[in-house]
């Protein structure tokens, strides 16, 4: 699994009651040294049996090249009335959502106050997550097979409700300098996220690779007239001296986060909040 190579106000938007929050990451890391750690973390979703019963065995490519011609055209937005029960609810978008468990967990536990959209470039993952969503009967979550780098603007600008939260969690690092252009977070995507976020809307970035986290941070820090870095999510969760959040504010870890912490890695996280529109 190893890679080769301020507002207190904001916390109301995404923080869960402390009872649902995991203990500090480090403590957890050593408590769950098991290959089944992901299944354990998401045990209440009980997703694996659902797919096994269908008799499908999933063979998923480890990586795809987002710069290949097959991913160069933006994906068309869905008919939002078809995919969400209430398409006017605030929307959370998870970019590069992987297996989708993280977002499904939120959709199931949200009490329908928000819609959830996962964007993922590996089609088979999306087929499986959408199968899970249908089996669970959830009407506040949808997964799309899309290259988020080129499709985000077209998809999200058509959503009828407010964009309240965007997460980019442990994106593929593409370590080699000549491959940095394959990273999902490119300047037009940062621009589109910043523009489409509603006032008070938030961005959460995280990576277990410091260089990748710093790259994303530099891009969002460049919008400091519009986006404010959230130094303190609440009294229990603030940043270290370097400006990285000391713990996970989301109530559950992503799959990559679980594996990285099992390996003893540090997760670098940062949150932003939109404080004004660009035109002001
Ligand atoms: C390392 S995984 C992390 C998945 C998940 N966020 C997590 O933390 O467990 C990165 C994911 O981003 C997806 N991805 C990479 N480039 C993408 C792009 N341009 N658009 C959408 N998804 C992308 C990959 O297919 C992969 O599933």
């Amino acid at each position: 699994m190893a890679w080769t190579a301020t507002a207190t106000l904001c916390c109301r938007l995404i923080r869960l009651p402390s009872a649902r929050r995991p203990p500090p990451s480090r403590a957890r890391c050593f408590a769950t040294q098991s290959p089944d750690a992901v299944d354990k973390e998401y045990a209440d979703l009980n997703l694996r049996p659902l797919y096994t019963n269908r008799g499908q065995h999933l063979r998923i490519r480890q990586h795809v090249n987002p710069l290949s011609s097959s991913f160069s055209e933006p994906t068309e937005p869905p008919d939002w009335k078809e995919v969400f029960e209430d398409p006017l609810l605030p929307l959370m978008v998870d970019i590069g959502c992987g297996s989708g468990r993280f977002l499904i967990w939120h959709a199931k536990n949200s009490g329908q106050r928000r819609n959830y959209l996962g964007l993922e470039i590996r089609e088979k993952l999306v087929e499986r997550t959408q199968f899970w969503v249908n089996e669970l009967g959830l009407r506040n979550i949808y997964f799309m097979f899309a290259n988020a780098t080129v499709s985000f603007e077209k998809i999200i600008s058509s959503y009828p409700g407010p964009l309240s939260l965007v997460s980019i969690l442990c994106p593929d690092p593409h370590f080699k300098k000549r491959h940095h252009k394959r990273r999902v977070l490119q300047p037009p995507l940062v621009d589109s996220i910043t523009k489409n976020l509603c006032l008070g809307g938030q961005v959460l970035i995280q990576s277990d690779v410091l260089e990748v986290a710093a790259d994303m941070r530099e891009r969002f820090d460049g919008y400091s007239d519009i986006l404010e870095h959230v130094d303190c999510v609440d009294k229990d969760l603030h940043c270290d001296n370097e400006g990285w959040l000391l713990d996970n504010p989301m109530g559950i870890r992503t799959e990559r986060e679980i594996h990285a912490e099992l390996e003893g890695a540090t997760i670098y996280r940062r949150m932003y909040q939109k404080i004004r529109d660009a035109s002001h």
Side-chain angles (χ1 to χ4, degrees), residues 13 29 66 88 151 203 207 209 234 237 251 268:
L13 289 172
C29 153
L88 294 177
S151 305
V203 179
S207 177
V209 180
D234 66 23
L237 181 50
Y268 300 92

Side-chain angles (χ1 to χ4, degrees), residues 3 62-64 66 94-99 119-122 125 146-150 168-174 182-184 206 254-257:
W3 295 114
Q62 195 77 12
H63 290 291
V64 297
D94 189 29
I95 293 178
C97 58
S99 78
L119 301 178
E120 172 51 53
I121 203 166
R122 286 183 290 167
L125 282 180
N147 177 353
T149 310
V150 301
I168 310 168
L169 308 174
C170 303
D172 291 331
H174 297 293
R182 296 184 183 186
R183 288 182 178 169
V184 68
Q206 77 173 28
T254 70
E255 260 181 64
R256 176 64 211 162
E257 192 176 346

Side-chain angles (χ1 to χ4, degrees), residues 174-183 211:
H174 297 293
F175 286 107
K176 290 181 186 159
K177 194 160 176 42
R178 66 188 158 88
H179 287 163
H180 284 185
K181 52 186 182 294
R182 296 184 183 186
R183 288 182 178 169
E211 185 223 314

Side-chain angles (χ1 to χ4, degrees), residues 87-279:
L88 294 177
L89 285 179
L91 181 70
M92 169 180 176
V93 181
D94 189 29
I95 293 178
C97 58
S99 78
R101 286 178 176 87
F102 169 80
L103 212 55
I104 293 174
W105 186 90
H106 280 286
K108 200 167 169 233
N109 292 297
S110 75
Q112 300 283 321
R113 295 182 314 274
R114 180 183 267 177
N115 287 327
Y116 297 84
L117 177 69
L119 301 178
E120 172 51 53
I121 203 166
R122 286 183 290 167
E123 191 168 18
K124 287 205 170 153
L125 282 180
V126 177
E127 282 170 12
R128 185 180 64 177
T129 43
Q130 203 46 50
F131 172 81
W132 283 338
V133 166
N134 294 340
E135 288 291 306
L136 292 169
L138 297 172
R139 296 279 291 124
N140 60 341
I141 182 166
Y142 187 62
F143 289 93
M144 289 183 73
F145 165 49
N147 177 353
T149 310
V150 301
S151 305
F152 185 91
E153 173 62 28
K154 189 163 194 175
I155 294 170
I156 299 307
S157 61
S158 75
Y159 182 71
L163 176 65
S164 63
L165 177 59
V166 176
S167 53
I168 310 168
L169 308 174
C170 303
D172 291 331
H174 297 293
F175 286 107
K176 290 181 186 159
K177 194 160 176 42
R178 66 188 158 88
H179 287 163
H180 284 185
K181 52 186 182 294
R182 296 184 183 186
R183 288 182 178 169
V184 68
L185 191 66
Q186 298 296 328
L189 179 56
V190 188
D191 206 57
S192 179
I193 292 170
T194 308
K195 185 183 79 182
N196 283 289
L197 263 187
C198 65
L199 277 182
Q202 296 173 312
V203 179
L204 177 66
I205 54 172
Q206 77 173 28
S207 177
D208 52 305
V209 180
L210 178 57
E211 185 223 314
V212 171
D215 182 37
M216 294 195 286
R217 171 180 179 161
E218 193 182 327
R219 294 183 190 280
F220 283 110
D221 281 0
Y223 286 79
S224 59
D225 50 334
I226 300 167
L227 294 177
E228 184 176 70
H229 164 233
V230 178
D231 191 44
C232 182
V233 173
D234 66 23
K235 69 176 173 50
D236 298 323
L237 181 50
H238 35 88
C239 288
D240 64 16
N241 291 339
E242 304 290 324
W244 301 110
L245 275 174
L246 283 164
D247 207 352
N248 176 332
M250 294 301 295
I252 196 151
R253 297 176 297 172
T254 70
E255 260 181 64
R256 176 64 211 162
E257 192 176 346
I258 293 167
H259 292 307
E261 289 197 332
L262 281 174
E263 291 158 7
T266 299
I267 310 290
Y268 300 92
R269 309 180 180 89
R270 202 160 153 91
M271 188 183 281
Y272 298 86
Q273 183 159 32
K274 185 162 174 175
I275 49 170
R276 67 179 68 88
D277 284 316
S279 52

